[in-house]
Amino acid sequence: MKKVILASLALGIALNAAAADPKIIDPDSTGFKFTDVATVKTTPVKDQNKSGTCWCYSTNTFFEDEILRKGGKPVHLSEGFVVYHCYLDKAIKYIRMDGEINFAEGGAALDVPYVWENYGMMPNEVYTGMTYGDKKFNTAELTANLQGYANVINQRKLKKLTPAWIEGFKGILDAYMGRIPDKFSINGVEYTPKSYAASLPINLDDYISVTSFNHHPFYKPFIIEVADNWLWGYSQNVTVDELLEIANNAIDNGYPIAWGADVSEPGFKWRKGYAILPVDKDVPDLSGSDMERWAKLSDKDREEEKWDIKGPVEEQVVTQESRQLMFDNKETTDDHGMVIVGKAVDQKGNRYFKVQNSWDTNQLYDGYFYVSEAYFKAKTMNIYLHRDAIPNRIASKFKN
């Protein structure tokens, strides 16, 4: 992550969003006027609150949208169910690796299908993963306890580990999140997590993670080297122009996209409802007294004023090489998971993706924002979507 510990950035972003002034900005004050040109069906905006579980909220919502696309009824899939199983399996892997991998709240889109395939799924109404009357996630204390426990186990005070440590770990999860039910009933029908997952119109083999980096061969899958990819899941590699083409084709044909990206750029303006990648100009085009005033500003004030954008501006031309450099320099990091649910244009005809976030609705566009194509090309870590959303001419190049 950029200048911060990987384990804490997703949580920090969530905390900052929650702590920010909830006052809704006047849309006219941003200088942007967006017009939606294509949208897909989606379930309501969620609120991950004080947790670093965006990867779960976004990918669960993605699958909820896929269920809608396939004609299914709206459902809120349980984030708690997924998070519980990932905490446990991540801890087991952490101990197997002698504590040399990441153990934190962060994760990736591929974590959700992993849980779905191995443990099943259940609706949120059955299991929220919250106890003591909580209405929203706050996993800070839970994560700290789990990390401390895992680190003690990793010290191996005995000559060998005993199965008791796993039961102890489950005990912490059960105390904070509640015990997951073995069976539950929905509309008079009894399910297990496995049978409920099987009842949903989702075939996990139909979905794929796609990325674009040139330190690996194109058209072959590889493991993206970020700490939150604790599963060591594979993503198919394509060129950055093809990545953009895939995303456009998906929305044009009614497919949602789970989107992992860097949101720590100065051009990411959550409350103002947009994310852009302006050409970096060290000194604005000012003259006379304005120039004199600029020269007297502090470095912090200059930086803030430089990014005080009032409408569409010239954006960077993102190439395969510039994108790669941002990743190699840690300027592009694995920050946040969201869902792309549409396309739009601004008043000058510039193209954007419409994105659903999981930071509640107290924001200009009620929990949605608009991402320019330049920002998407530069700051996308990966996308996860239905294979049929990929144009045939690109899919035909894929090799195992």
Side-chain angles (χ1 to χ4, degrees), residues 170-302:
K170 288 180 181 178
I172 298 173
L173 286 171
D174 289 345
Y176 278 90
M177 301 187 71
R179 189 180 296 273
I180 294 177
D182 295 325
K183 295 180 180 180
F184 54 92
S185 294
I186 300 293
N187 296 325
V189 179
E190 186 176 84
Y191 294 99
T192 65
K194 282 277 194 178
S195 66
Y196 180 76
S199 74
L200 299 172
I202 298 294
N203 179 357
L204 296 176
D205 292 337
D206 291 340
Y207 298 88
I208 186 173
S209 176
V210 183
T211 190
S212 177
F213 292 107
N214 60 11
H215 66 292
H216 288 279
F218 290 123
Y219 313 117
K220 291 184 178 181
F222 75 95
I223 298 171
I224 301 178
E225 303 95 335
V226 294
D228 279 342
N229 186 14
W230 66 276
L231 279 176
W232 303 331
Y234 283 84
S235 293
Q236 184 70 47
N237 203 20
V238 300
T239 69
V240 68
D241 289 334
E242 289 171 329
L243 187 70
L244 177 63
E245 183 180 347
I246 289 169
N248 275 302
N249 187 72
I251 297 301
D252 288 343
N253 288 280
Y255 293 90
I257 305 166
W259 183 45
D262 185 321
V263 297
S264 57
E265 292 299 311
F268 177 87
K269 304 289 188 180
W270 162 241
R271 292 217 171 273
K272 293 184 178 181
Y274 64 84
I276 62 175
L277 198 70
V279 172
D280 191 2
K281 298 180 179 179
D282 292 334
V283 179
D285 184 15
L286 299 174
S287 58
S289 59
D290 284 342
M291 178 62 76
E292 182 179 4
R293 182 186 65 82
W294 175 263
K296 292 180 180 180
L297 291 176
S298 69
D299 289 345
K300 180 181 177 181
D301 290 339
R302 289 188 191 199

Side-chain angles (χ1 to χ4, degrees), residues 52-233:
T53 55
C54 57
W55 53 271
C56 178
Y57 276 83
S58 57
T59 314
N60 271 21
T61 297
F62 163 79
F63 277 120
E64 293 168 7
D65 296 350
E66 275 292 280
I67 291 169
L68 291 178
R69 184 181 67 80
K70 289 172 171 286
K73 296 180 180 179
V75 61
H76 180 181
L77 299 175
S78 172
E79 291 87 15
F81 180 81
V82 176
V83 170
Y84 184 109
H85 284 293
C86 283
Y87 268 134
L88 180 57
D89 286 7
K90 192 180 300 184
I92 293 171
K93 194 167 191 176
Y94 181 78
I95 299 303
R96 291 190 190 280
M97 297 297 296
D98 298 322
E100 296 298 328
I101 62 170
N102 192 43
F103 180 83
E105 294 171 293
L110 291 172
D111 294 6
V112 174
Y114 164 81
V115 170
W116 192 306
E117 180 176 13
N118 288 280
Y119 300 104
M121 184 55 75
M122 59 177 55
N124 192 67
E125 65 188 84
V126 171
Y127 183 77
T128 65
M130 292 177 278
T131 56
Y132 308 110
D134 291 341
K135 300 298 183 183
K136 295 182 179 182
F137 261 165
N138 184 345
T139 53
E141 184 176 311
L142 168 61
T143 303
N145 276 315
L146 294 176
Q147 287 173 330
Y149 185 97
N151 287 333
V152 169
I153 299 303
N154 191 50
Q155 294 174 10
R156 295 196 297 274
K157 296 294 186 180
L158 302 177
K159 290 184 179 180
K160 64 178 182 180
L161 294 179
T162 68
W165 85 263
I166 297 179
E167 294 306 312
F169 193 92
K170 288 180 181 178
I172 298 173
L173 286 171
D174 289 345
Y176 278 90
M177 301 187 71
R179 189 180 296 273
I180 294 177
D182 295 325
K183 295 180 180 180
F184 54 92
S185 294
I186 300 293
N187 296 325
V189 179
E190 186 176 84
Y191 294 99
T192 65
K194 282 277 194 178
S195 66
Y196 180 76
S199 74
L200 299 172
I202 298 294
N203 179 357
L204 296 176
D205 292 337
D206 291 340
Y207 298 88
I208 186 173
S209 176
V210 183
T211 190
S212 177
F213 292 107
N214 60 11
H215 66 292
H216 288 279
F218 290 123
Y219 313 117
K220 291 184 178 181
F222 75 95
I223 298 171
I224 301 178
E225 303 95 335
V226 294
D228 279 342
N229 186 14
W230 66 276
L231 279 176
W232 303 331

